[in-house]
Amino acid sequence: MENKADFDYPHTFILLGASGDLAKKKIYPTIWYLYRDNVLPKNTKFVGYARTSQTVSEVREKCKKYIKVRPGEEDKYEEFWAANDYLAGAYDKRIDFEKLNQLICKNEKGIVANRIFYLAVPPTVFEDVTVNIKNSCVAIKGYTRVIIEKPFGRDDVSSDKLSNHLANLFKEEQIYRIDHYLGKEMVQNLMTIRFANQIFCPSWNRSNIASVLISFKEPFGTEGRGGYFDDFGMIRDVMQNHLLQILSLIAMEKPVSLHPNDIRDEKVKVLRHIPAIEMKDILVGQYVGNPNGNGEEKLGYLDDPTVPKGSVTPTYALAALWINNARWEGVPFILRCGKALNERKAEVRIQYKDVPGDIFGGNTKRNELVIRVQPGEALYLKMMSKSPGMKFDLVETELDLTYSMRYREADVPDAYERLILDVFTGTQMHFVRSDELKEAWRIFTPILQQLEENHVQPHPYVFGSRGPAAADGKLAEYNFKYSGSYKWQKPSIC
Ligand SMILES: NC(=O)C1=CN([C@@H]2O[C@H](COP(=O)(O)OP(=O)(O)OC[C@H]3O[C@@H](n4cnc5c(N)ncnc54)[C@H](OP(=O)(O)O)[C@@H]3O)[C@@H](O)[C@H]2O)C=CC1
Ligand SMILES: O=C1O[C@H](COP(=O)(O)O)[C@@H](O)[C@H](O)[C@H]1O
């Protein structure tokens, strides 16, 4: 936090794009939960702004489906909406932003007051909105912070343009680039797992680790969002941001301290060791229809009427990234993500090398440290043990930290709750810095260009399957061994 006393000043949270999907599904519910839990500064007001002419009651009605109000919270909920205002205005008219400024000033009473702008708007109006905030709406005394959502450009050139545009208007300390995966419990746990456990630190390197697999799977397709998605594709949607962020937290060196800039310095450093992805190291896929997916017909990506005919946009991608430094040279970091797959899952698998000098007749299996981000946060280490009893056989088993069992009372907050609260407290640890973004685009832009210019045909995979058949072959190629022999005995409480 810049200054603890900041929390005593009036704050205004301004949601631009307040009529949109993200606003109603995610941002309004999140600010309500933060308000309900009394973690926001006492005098916080909320202002929605968008082109649509509507009242606060209408906004409230639209959000109803997505907001949870528990019994006993009704009065607080009324109070929350009473702290809300809404103004309709254009994104490109300075005069409208001057009106917005007047509305914000109502809460401020001429003293020090802080303002947070959340840009839940499409990239097309991004530049206008930020210029208008700068010209008409910055706090006179107090801070102005701006939260922005991806896409942060679509390649290195457009991302640099956006970064330069923002840098001309705001200081880096004012800009909070959200990658909501950085707000997830197990992603935030990565540094603790690594740097607070002597057992992992010494083995976290090329001498011991064979490969690292970072996966994101979703069981649904683009579902009418195909038009938007088609312009970006799976690599830009998930791999270049969420999965690469996870990679950098797994691979970076220990930061000097927990200061946000020390952490981000290390993330940038490790990214600088990664060369741009080569064509030989990528496999892309696109889902096709499944007449009997989960008991009902599932349409293929190209069947979505909002998707351009014959599109080769990937809905699945697997890529191996190489980190050319002393710790990781030769260890493949496999990033894998896809829509319309068999399950919802985000996880990391750190697969250790085979035990050298085997004395167990080749029956040992590799250790694997699995960090399950979602669903059901868990950390488990697959290991070999003697089978209990008279025999001297080996069994594959696990050391298991399943959150729902170990921390039954814990309330794991949603990623957006943590991240928005971080903006109020002024901590940028879990936000993307501009130089990180630059490195991310350096790694991904060439391969995106090659895929697009060469119109590379994606491998088809059936909606609801594990992805293209060729992907498992790729995993083996990158020294990720799947034996299929591991069996987990689900505890009855799980
Ligand atoms: N604490 C907990 O909650 C714990 C839960 N478990 C559960 O036990 C089950 C098994 O554990 P897990 O570590 O996943 O065991 P496995 O090593 O058997 O891995 C299973 C995963 O491997 C992948 N896979 C399947 N076929 C192949 C193939 N031919 N080639 C390569 N990969 C393949 C699949 O994921 P994909 O489709 O993504 O490739 C599958 O989910 C899981 O459901 C796990 O969640 C285990 C331990 C603790
Ligand atoms: O950023 C994105 O993430 C979501 C998945 O988020 P999760 O928190 O539900 O795992 C994904 O559906 C979307 O396409 C992508 O833009």
Side-chain angles (χ1 to χ4, degrees), residues 33-34 37 183-186 188 377 410-419 421:
Y33 302 136
L34 293 172
D37 296 343
K184 294 198 185 252
E185 181 71 29
M186 291 310 276
Q188 296 204 344
E377 292 84 355
D411 182 18
V412 175
D414 174 75
Y416 275 89
E417 277 175 64
R418 283 183 218 268
L419 295 176
L421 186 59

Side-chain angles (χ1 to χ4, degrees), residues 26 149-150 179-181 184 216-218 220-221 225 228-229 234 236-238 241-242 339 344-346 373-374 414-416:
K26 212 71 215 184
E149 276 277 349
K150 73 180 177 69
D179 180 314
H180 78 280
Y181 266 62
K184 294 198 185 252
F216 166 97
K217 298 169 82 177
E218 255 177 3
F220 45 83
R225 265 179 80 226
Y228 161 82
F229 181 88
M234 206 58 202
R236 289 186 183 91
D237 195 42
V238 167
N241 35 74
H242 306 328
K339 289 197 177 278
R344 174 172 185 252
K345 178 170 91 175
V373 175
Q374 64 188 34
D414 174 75
Y416 275 89

Side-chain angles (χ1 to χ4, degrees), residues 133-189:
I133 292 173
K134 175 72 181 178
N135 287 340
S136 310
C137 293
V138 289
I140 307 294
K141 279 189 176 180
Y143 68 65
T144 300
R145 293 177 185 152
V146 182
I147 309 176
I148 62 174
E149 276 277 349
K150 73 180 177 69
F152 311 125
R154 61 185 319 285
D155 54 19
D156 51 2
V157 174
S158 54
S159 173
D160 276 358
K161 183 168 172 268
L162 184 60
S163 291
N164 293 337
H165 168 83
L166 286 171
N168 285 330
L169 302 173
F170 305 105
K171 294 194 198 114
E172 185 64 25
E173 307 86 81
Q174 295 179 280
I175 305 168
Y176 289 73
R177 293 178 195 82
I178 284 216
D179 180 314
H180 78 280
Y181 266 62
L182 290 177
K184 294 198 185 252
E185 181 71 29
M186 291 310 276
V187 176
Q188 296 204 344
N189 197 4

